[in-house]
Amino acid sequence: MNDRGSRLSKDAVLDAAADLVRAQGPAALTMRRLAGELGCAVTAIYWHVGNREALLDELVARTVREMGRIRAEGATPAARAESVALELRRKLRARPHLIALVHERGLTERMMLPAQRALAHEAHAAGLRGAAAAEAVRAVQFHVVGFVLVERNRERAPAQHPGEPDLWDDATAEQDPGLAQAFADPPDVDRLFRATTRAVVASLWGAVPGEGGA
Amino acid sequence: MNDRGSRLSKDAVLDAAADLVRAQGPAALTMRRLAGELGCAVTAIYWHVGNREALLDELVARTVREMGRIRAEGATPAARAESVALELRRKLRARPHLIALVHERGLTERMMLPAQRALAHEAHAAGLRGAAAAEAVRAVQFHVVGFVLVERNRERAPAQHPGEPDLWDDATAEQDPGLAQAFADPPDVDRLFRATTRAVVASLWGAVPGEGGA
DNA sequence: ACCTGAACACCGTTCAAGT
DNA sequence: ACCTGAACACCGTTCAAGT
């Protein structure tokens, strides 16, 4: 029995832990703080989940399950592959802290399996086979995960870029003031993601109809 | 004076700290362990570098400086942009732990500035101006950093992919056994990087001569 | 089976005290 | 100016003891 008269359970521990991580990141998840939330002794947690490492493993497993369902949309295989990339990015961005945990524990690949299958399906539909199909799938996969990691980093450290404009007033910048201006503004990440995704998919699947990507 | 009769200095502290991080990662850098290496009291370190946070800041600043020099090679602007991407990846992979620290502290963008300038130069040479040039530069930048982050993660967790082949013996795999086989093998990351870099650069700079990328 | 409190070995950091 | 040792507030984890 805890403070509130209710019994502790593994699910209760996991729920409280997930709340802490979602709100304040994994560093905020200390066993003592968690016990505080649960109204029990620190050591009671150990009976239910083993230890902190095992607790994080369970949270990661949950996240991997949640990332499961991916559906492709569009007329052509290339367009459908692109839609998978876009949805993937959306889902990854919705759970930043937990995704970081998955990544830290080296389970990104495992988490990406459903998306991998969806992409493989579209590669197959586009006529790609064997190693060429695998390369196409992995190219998109690396691209999406990598992009999300980079943009997350930018968001976490908004004040860290010390005057990008200051560092651009050299020869090139004088020749092209529009360039310096473009670098002074934060990048339009949505646009950047669409453009690069389109480039990667187009080069491996064939052209994506609908917009005029070079 | 320390154990060895020599005096402590800020540089000595930084060197010892860098050694620890390079060999065993930032988690291994504890103030007590560092004091052990240096043969001084834990608190002596504080006099020279402030605290652990400041110490890491200095290591990060060092790394940013080291990443400075980038030179482009090749005949066309696109080929030169591609060479920058390749060299960038090489340099990033040579300092995984320190790069991770830079990334953690949100200084990746700062670190990438020299490469950014080199890429901007090539974009300019290819006739790109203003926002279009900035987008081309950033696309390559995001691509390289993202790719390195993803492949690092794969390397750190080699045993974590639980039987990718097992998860591929479904309809698609039956239709294309070569695909299942290709996924059972680890990806050829060098090849994958070259292919995707070529795709991104080609779509924004124009075709890269020398090899037949689609 | 489930939970507690005391204890241990670690952390980073502060601070008065020494030279 | 440079360094020490004691002390404080945190960690995760173990374990004998309770019910």
Side-chain angles (χ1 to χ4, degrees):
Chain A
M1 296 287 173
N2 63 15
D3 278 358
R4 299 162 186 77
S6 66
R7 298 191 64 144
L8 210 54
S9 73
K10 184 165 178 172
D11 273 333
V13 173
L14 288 177
D15 288 340
D19 285 348
L20 268 172
V21 171
R22 238 191 298 268
Q24 313 182 50
L29 177 62
T30 74
M31 303 304 264
R32 285 174 167 81
R33 211 166 331 195
L34 186 53
E37 294 290 333
L38 291 164
C40 66
V42 198
T43 45
I45 299 168
Y46 283 81
W47 197 91
H48 284 99
V49 295
N51 57 21
R52 186 172 184 271
E53 211 59 10
L55 206 174
L56 289 172
D57 284 341
E58 301 258 19
L59 289 184
V60 161
R62 266 193 184 192
T63 305
V64 169
R65 260 177 268 131
E66 281 172 25
M67 287 291 298
R69 212 171 309 283
I70 294 278
R71 69 196 189 314
E73 271 178 17
T76 66
R80 292 168 63 80
E82 203 184 330
S83 81
V84 170
L86 292 174
E87 190 184 345
L88 213 45
R89 172 164 171 259
R90 227 177 297 127
K91 294 189 81 138
L92 290 169
R93 282 173 58 87
R95 308 156 171 77
H97 287 308
L98 286 166
I99 297 297
L101 271 182
V102 173
H103 183 241
E104 236 170 60
R105 298 174 111 62
L107 284 166
T108 312
E109 298 296 307
R110 178 74 234 323
M111 180 178 70
M112 297 291 286
L113 253 167
Q116 209 178 53
R117 297 178 95 135
L119 288 169
H121 188 81
E122 301 308 331
H124 192 84
L128 297 171
R129 295 291 180 275
E135 184 176 82
V137 169
R138 277 171 166 153
V140 173
Q141 200 181 320
F142 271 61
H143 165 62
V144 175
V145 177
F147 193 97
V148 172
L149 289 174
V150 173
E151 69 177 324
R152 262 291 289 166
N153 179 249
R154 283 200 131 250
E155 284 163 13
R156 263 187 307 171
Q160 298 274 26
H161 321 130
E164 257 181 311
D166 299 346
L167 289 137
W168 276 100
D169 56 355
D170 66 335
T172 308
E174 274 167 36
Q175 287 166 33
D176 185 359
L179 178 67
Q181 180 53 46
F183 273 109
D185 298 333
D188 181 342
V189 283
D190 291 332
R191 187 187 145 80
L192 198 58
F193 182 72
R194 256 180 287 118
T196 47
T197 303
R198 187 172 299 267
V200 171
V201 170
S203 98
L204 291 157
W205 260 263
V208 184
E211 281 181 46
Chain B
M1 297 287 172
N2 61 16
D3 278 359
R4 298 160 186 76
S6 66
R7 295 192 65 143
L8 211 54
S9 73
K10 184 165 177 172
D11 273 333
V13 172
L14 289 176
D15 288 339
D19 285 348
L20 268 173
V21 170
R22 239 191 297 267
Q24 314 182 47
L29 177 63
T30 74
M31 303 304 265
R32 283 173 169 80
R33 211 165 332 196
L34 186 53
E37 295 289 333
L38 291 165
C40 68
V42 199
T43 46
I45 298 167
Y46 283 82
W47 196 91
H48 285 98
V49 296
N51 56 23
R52 185 171 186 273
E53 211 60 10
L55 206 175
L56 290 172
D57 284 341
E58 301 259 19
L59 289 184
V60 161
R62 267 192 183 192
T63 306
V64 169
R65 259 177 270 131
E66 282 172 23
M67 287 290 298
R69 212 171 309 284
I70 295 277
R71 69 197 190 313
E73 271 178 16
T76 66
R80 292 167 64 79
E82 203 183 330
S83 81
V84 170
L86 292 174
E87 190 184 345
L88 212 47
R89 171 163 172 261
R90 227 176 298 127
K91 294 189 79 137
L92 290 169
R93 282 173 59 87
R95 307 156 172 76
H97 287 310
L98 286 165
I99 297 297
L101 270 181
V102 173
H103 183 240
E104 235 170 60
R105 299 174 110 64
L107 283 168
T108 311
E109 298 295 309
R110 178 76 236 319
M111 181 178 69
M112 298 292 285
L113 252 167
Q116 207 176 56
R117 297 177 96 136
L119 288 169
H121 188 80
E122 301 309 330
H124 191 83
L128 296 170
R129 294 292 180 275
E135 185 176 81
V137 170
R138 278 172 166 152
V140 173
Q141 200 180 321
F142 271 62
H143 165 63
V144 175
V145 178
F147 193 97
V148 173
L149 289 174
V150 173
E151 67 177 326
R152 263 290 291 164
N153 178 248
R154 283 200 131 251
E155 283 163 14
R156 263 186 309 170
Q160 297 275 23
H161 321 132
E164 260 181 309
D166 300 345
L167 290 136
W168 277 100
D169 56 355
D170 65 336
T172 308
E174 275 167 37
Q175 288 165 33
D176 185 358
L179 178 67
Q181 181 52 45
F183 272 110
D185 297 334
D188 180 343
V189 284
D190 292 333
R191 186 186 147 80
L192 198 58
F193 183 71
R194 257 181 287 119
T196 47
T197 302
R198 189 171 296 268
V200 171
V201 170
S203 100
L204 291 157
W205 259 264
V208 184
E211 280 182 50

